[in-house]
């Protein structure tokens, strides 16, 4: 694989691209559990100087608040209480709370995420973030399950990140093991498979790749290699856009 290095300014949207869309550039990163989409999206945003939203953290925060009130995360009336708590206190700190990362909260997150009312209640927040991100940034990166399909179908560049189930389980196992010595690789694999199934088969916004998404298989790739591959894609799409739009472009010459 060719590793390419570019300067951050290579990717900031040109004034033409920015004017055409009249909004920050939107990049979506969807994919199944522990596919590496969060790591990729976070690094991509840092590299480009863009804002970043981990949409899974929203569902995780609702799940944690629901569990803390003693509620069943599959029940809308219970999840509504968790949702109300999160809506009243939706801060970056809440989404960075390490307590939302446990295996128990992961399972509960995919349960509250299957409730249509919960998805509906979180939809506008995600769209507003995408279209008017905090700070004067040139773009935004959002990662999740339905960002390229439901939240931002009009995104400029879409990725769908995958990896083999075994490698995904191993990555998540290595992340969780230090806080949970009793954890086994088999437990993590079972957890991911149950969540993937629930996320794929739910009636609203199931996980699938948008037809116009670039499929990025991260099996056997390091986070740095994954980032470089995505940056090469962004660069080529960006150059296609500007080539189409520039005064000397083939389109303009016609
Ligand atoms: O990091 P990981 O891939 O394990 O999960 P996550 O992205 O934090 O998402 C946790 C759960 O939230 C997922 O299993 C989905 O059920 C749900 N989710 C969703 O339904 N839609 C999103 N846009 C993001 C997450």
């Amino acid at each position: 694989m060719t590793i390419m290095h570019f300067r951050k300014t290579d990717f900031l949207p040109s004034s033409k691209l920015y004017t055409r869309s009249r909004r920050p550039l939107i990049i979506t990163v969807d994919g199944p559990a522990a596919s590496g989409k969060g790591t990729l999206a976070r690094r991509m945003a840092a590299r480009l100087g863009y804002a970043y939203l981990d949409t899974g953290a929203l569902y995780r925060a609702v799940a944690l608040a629901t569990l803390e009130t003693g509620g069943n995360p599959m029940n809308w009336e219970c999840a509504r209480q968790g949702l109300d708590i999160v809506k009243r206190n939706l801060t970056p700190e809440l989404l960075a709370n390490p307590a939302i990362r446990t295996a128990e909260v992961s399972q509960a997150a995919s349960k509250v995420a299957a409730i249509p009312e919960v998805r509906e209640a979180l939809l506008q927040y995600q769209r507003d973030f995408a279209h008017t991100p905090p700070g004067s940034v040139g773009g935004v990166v959002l990662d999740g399950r339905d960002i390229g399909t439901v939240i931002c179908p009009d995104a400029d560049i879409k990725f769908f990140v995958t990896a083999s189930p075994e490698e995904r389980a191993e990555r998540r196992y290595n992340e969780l093991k230090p806080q949970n010595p009793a954890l086994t690789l088999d437990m993590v694999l079972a957890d991911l498979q149950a969540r993937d199934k629930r996320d794929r088969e739910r009636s609203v916004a199931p996980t699938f790749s948008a037809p116009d998404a670039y499929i990025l298989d991260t099996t056997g790739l390091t986070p740095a290699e994954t980032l470089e591959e995505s940056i090469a894609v962004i660069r080529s799409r960006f150059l296609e856009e500007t080539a189409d739009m520039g005064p000397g472009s083939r389109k303009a010459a016609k």
Side-chain angles (χ1 to χ4, degrees):
M1 194 192 127
T2 320
I3 306 289
M4 302 164 89
H5 294 281
F6 304 110
R7 287 167 299 129
K8 181 168 127 183
T9 45
D10 288 344
F11 305 104
L12 294 177
S14 72
S15 55
K16 284 198 181 86
L17 187 57
Y18 198 90
T19 308
R20 194 183 78 143
S21 56
R22 289 183 205 284
R23 57 157 171 76
L25 197 88
I26 299 175
I27 302 178
T28 64
V29 184
D30 289 306
S35 52
K37 63 187 182 313
T39 304
L40 172 64
R42 197 171 292 110
R43 288 179 178 219
M44 195 190 280
R47 173 83 158 257
L48 304 178
Y50 286 3
Y52 167 62
L53 180 65
D54 168 4
T55 67
L58 296 170
Y59 295 94
R60 287 174 177 274
V62 172
L64 178 63
T66 306
L67 294 175
E68 282 177 347
T69 60
N72 172 358
M74 288 175 105
N75 176 294
W76 163 229
E77 286 310 322
C78 299
R80 187 207 292 263
Q81 290 185 40
L83 186 63
D84 287 345
I85 295 169
V86 168
K87 283 203 300 202
R88 280 198 302 274
N89 186 27
L90 195 43
T91 57
E93 292 72 35
L94 183 85
L95 301 182
N97 179 1
I100 67 173
R101 300 284 154 199
T102 65
E104 188 194 6
V105 174
S106 301
Q107 284 296 337
S110 75
K111 291 175 183 163
V112 298
I115 302 174
E117 290 87 347
V118 171
R119 304 201 73 83
E120 182 61 32
L122 297 176
L123 186 141
Q124 203 54 47
Y125 176 82
Q126 297 172 76
R127 277 203 187 138
D128 288 348
F129 189 97
H131 289 92
T132 47
S136 51
V137 288
V140 61
V141 184
L142 292 93
D143 83 72
R145 299 288 186 292
D146 61 340
I147 312 302
T149 51
V150 176
I151 305 294
C152 300
D154 58 340
D156 300 281
I157 301 174
K158 300 178 185 178
F159 290 94
F160 192 83
V161 180
T162 63
S164 72
E166 294 71 25
E167 184 155 335
R168 293 194 282 128
E170 204 167 322
R171 289 176 190 164
R172 189 51 52 92
Y173 173 76
N174 290 333
E175 268 170 39
L176 296 177
K177 182 74 177 168
Q179 299 87 45
N180 187 354
L183 198 70
T184 67
L185 190 57
D186 283 347
M187 283 159 67
V188 177
L189 183 61
D191 174 89
L192 294 189
Q193 286 172 334
R195 231 155 26 100
D196 283 352
K197 183 166 164 27
R198 202 178 294 121
D199 292 346
R200 260 196 329 263
E201 296 179 357
R202 67 185 173 214
S203 59
V204 257
T207 310
F208 72 94
S209 160
D212 51 345
Y214 180 90
I215 313 278
L216 210 167
D217 186 343
T218 69
T219 311
L221 294 186
T222 64
E225 288 169 336
T226 306
L227 176 65
E228 295 311 328
E229 184 171 338
S230 74
I231 292 294
V233 172
I234 296 167
R235 186 164 201 261
S236 67
R237 295 273 172 96
F238 171 64
L239 291 179
E240 274 168 25
E241 288 270 357
T242 47
D244 274 356
M245 293 162 55
S249 75
R250 274 172 282 124
K251 249 189 192 165
K254 277 183 194 158

